[in-house]
Amino acid sequence: LNTGTGAIRFEQRHHDAFSKAKEAVAHHIAITNPDYTESAPPFHLYTDASQHALSGVPMQGGKVIAVYSYAFKRSQLYW
């Protein structure tokens, strides 16, 4: 990483803090079942991707149906 004025060091303590934040968020997401009736609100799919990982969250009526994330393996980074 680079700020333009110098490199940013992503050290183990930063990784640990990020992991703790992910755990906290993961435990507070209320996942609901999808509603397939004709009067149900539409589905929305939110996605994000980088060179190292991807994620997706399908939602319906403002409620989370599922959460998916995947970090690419080293060999997949070259696909």
Side-chain angles (χ1 to χ4, degrees):
L1 298 173
N2 193 324
T3 65
T5 59
I8 298 173
R9 287 191 218 158
F10 194 79
E11 299 171 350
Q12 185 62 41
R13 64 190 176 103
H14 300 115
H15 177 75
D16 294 344
F18 182 67
S19 294
K20 285 181 184 178
K22 285 193 310 184
E23 276 295 313
V25 170
H27 289 344
H28 291 5
I29 294 176
I31 296 179
T32 187
N33 291 322
D35 182 357
Y36 296 110
T37 62
E38 287 188 32
S39 61
F43 290 95
H44 295 276
L45 178 61
Y46 296 93
T47 61
D48 189 29
S50 71
Q51 294 179 346
H52 304 283
L54 60 85
S55 63
V57 179
M59 297 182 73
Q60 184 181 36
K63 297 179 182 176
V64 176
I65 296 172
V67 176
Y68 178 79
S69 65
Y70 181 78
F72 299 128
K73 296 181 174 100
R74 186 178 193 97
S75 62
Q76 294 171 322
L77 295 175
Y78 302 104
W79 288 5

